[in-house]
Amino acid sequence: MQIFRTPNINFFRWRSQAIGVSTLVILVGVGTIWSGGGLPLGIDFSGGTAVVVRFVERTPEEAVRTALSGVPGEKVVQQYGDPAENEVLIRLPQIAEETGSSLDQGANAVIEAIESAALGEFEIQSTDIVGPVIGRELQQKGVYATLAALAGILVYVGIRFRFSFAVGAIVAVFHDILVTLTFLTLFGYELSLNVVAAILTITGYSVNDTIVIFDRVRENLRSMRRDKLELVVNRSVNQTLARTIITSATTSLAVLALFLFGGEVLHGFAFTMLVGIISGTYSTVFIAASTAVFVSERRAKQQISTEPGLTASRKKRSRRQKMKVRAS
């Protein structure tokens, strides 16, 4: 813990490597999603029927697939939850349009097929049915909710701090969302309402962590007016490092317990939260701070180049002052 009392780490020294690692991870995720035909959507968004069946005796998945061979559509049969519970998840695409009784056709067909195959005693644990129209509406609302959250973050941080800080926060949030989607795809999780809720949660978590650092930057600028913004930001990151790590560690422990003991239904949510917390801590230190400094320096250079009537020596002196004091 001595490291966190008086840390003096030059985080900007590693920003190129950090950005390279993030870019590589995101490209892997984009390639995986592209080759797979898009993000794997859950029942909530794609529409269809999901039935969880619990058998009294252990029943192989292959036997269930064989029993369902007569059910139309592309079926997904996989083990669900604890293997000792003998539960199987059966997913079917939407068979018909959303017209009353047609919504139950998939679930009824599954039950009839299993009974006809004489696979032993079983009971239906749960049945989730989502029509195609509802699935499309949920997709749109999920996208709108995420965009609204990002817009609110941009406005709030821009007003509370500086425009360059708002850009840094938004870039870090986009980074966290893309990294999270990458790991969800690589580990075979589907995009469901629970996952979208987790993504919105980590969006707020990441921004909160970033704002803590930016608030310290604003305080340090009062006593470090002659220093470069990069030095001010780096010192601020070091001063809040203990808080960042301790908060992330304690939150991760709680989410890890949810992942291990919360049941199959919460696995997607908890996994998304775990990845998002780690990514959010990483992006706050490396991505948000670096982006804020980069945008500030670019804006300072543009302001100098557009000022009329400055001689070469005055431009040089003004550029140096702006880079140190007025970077924004």
Side-chain angles (χ1 to χ4, degrees):
M1 296 300 294
Q2 292 291 336
I3 298 176
F4 302 131
R5 292 184 179 179
T6 56
N8 187 24
I9 305 171
N10 186 5
F11 291 102
F12 282 87
R13 177 184 177 185
W14 307 103
R15 60 181 173 183
S16 298
Q17 292 86 339
I19 293 174
V21 171
S22 297
T23 303
L24 178 62
V25 171
I26 292 173
L27 288 178
V28 170
V30 171
T32 304
I33 294 172
W34 181 270
S35 62
L39 284 171
L41 300 179
I43 289 292
D44 298 326
F45 296 127
S46 62
T49 304
V51 181
V52 177
V53 181
R54 181 178 181 180
F55 292 93
V56 175
E57 299 180 357
R58 181 168 181 80
T59 303
E61 297 176 19
E62 190 60 36
V64 179
R65 291 191 184 94
T66 303
L68 297 175
S69 59
V71 178
E74 183 178 354
K75 298 165 287 293
V76 176
V77 179
Q78 62 188 58
Q79 178 185 305
Y80 186 82
D82 189 349
E85 297 294 331
N86 298 327
E87 293 181 346
V88 176
L89 172 63
I90 303 169
R91 291 191 51 189
L92 302 174
Q94 189 64 43
I95 298 176
E97 294 296 327
E98 189 176 0
T99 56
S101 61
S102 66
L103 291 176
D104 297 328
Q105 289 182 4
N108 294 334
V110 168
I111 296 174
E112 293 174 1
I114 295 177
E115 289 177 345
S116 300
L119 295 180
E121 296 184 11
F122 68 93
E123 61 180 0
I124 304 299
Q125 296 293 100
S126 64
T127 302
D128 294 325
I129 304 173
V130 178
V133 175
I134 296 177
R136 287 192 295 269
E137 290 180 355
L138 291 176
Q139 286 187 47
Q140 294 176 355
K141 291 180 179 180
V143 172
Y144 292 157
T146 304
L147 294 179
L150 294 176
I153 291 168
L154 181 64
V155 173
Y156 171 77
V157 179
I159 295 175
R160 177 75 182 274
F161 300 98
R162 302 180 180 183
F163 174 76
S164 59
F165 289 4
V167 175
I170 290 298
V171 170
V173 169
F174 268 114
H175 167 275
D176 297 338
I177 292 176
L178 292 175
V179 169
T180 301
L181 292 177
T182 295
F183 277 90
L184 286 173
T185 304
L186 293 177
F187 283 85
Y189 286 94
E190 297 175 336
L191 191 63
S192 62
L193 286 177
N194 285 343
V195 171
V196 171
I199 290 176
L200 292 175
T201 303
I202 63 177
T203 296
Y205 179 90
S206 176
V207 172
N208 176 72
D209 210 19
T210 302
I211 287 177
V212 170
I213 294 178
F214 286 166
D215 193 56
R216 183 59 61 89
V217 171
R218 184 173 56 180
E219 295 176 0
N220 288 336
L221 280 173
R222 300 170 184 171
S223 58
M224 301 174 63
R225 293 183 177 275
R226 298 186 179 275
D227 293 316
K228 292 182 178 180
L229 183 62
E230 177 179 321
L231 296 178
V232 178
V233 173
N234 193 72
R235 176 174 294 184
S236 301
V237 172
N238 278 279
Q239 290 174 345
T240 57
L241 184 62
R243 181 262 179 202
T244 299
I245 294 180
I246 291 175
T247 302
S248 300
T250 52
T251 308
S252 297
L253 288 176
V255 177
L256 181 61
L258 191 64
F259 178 80
L260 295 176
F261 308 111
E264 187 73 23
V265 177
L266 294 178
H267 269 189
F269 176 86
F271 181 82
T272 304
M273 287 292 296
L274 279 174
V275 176
I277 291 171
I278 297 173
S279 176
T281 305
Y282 166 86
S283 66
T284 296
V285 175
F286 291 102
I287 307 299
S290 299
T291 302
V293 172
F294 175 76
V295 174
S296 295
E297 292 177 348
R298 288 293 300 273
R299 295 190 69 194
K301 291 178 181 179
Q302 291 176 357
Q303 291 176 5
I304 293 171
S305 62
T306 56
E307 288 182 359
L310 288 178
T311 62
S313 59
R314 290 181 62 191
K315 283 186 177 182
K316 182 176 181 181
R317 183 170 61 254
S318 178
R319 183 182 294 110
R320 184 169 58 252
Q321 291 174 348
K322 285 180 179 291
M323 294 291 290
K324 292 183 179 180
V325 182
R326 298 172 57 192
S328 63

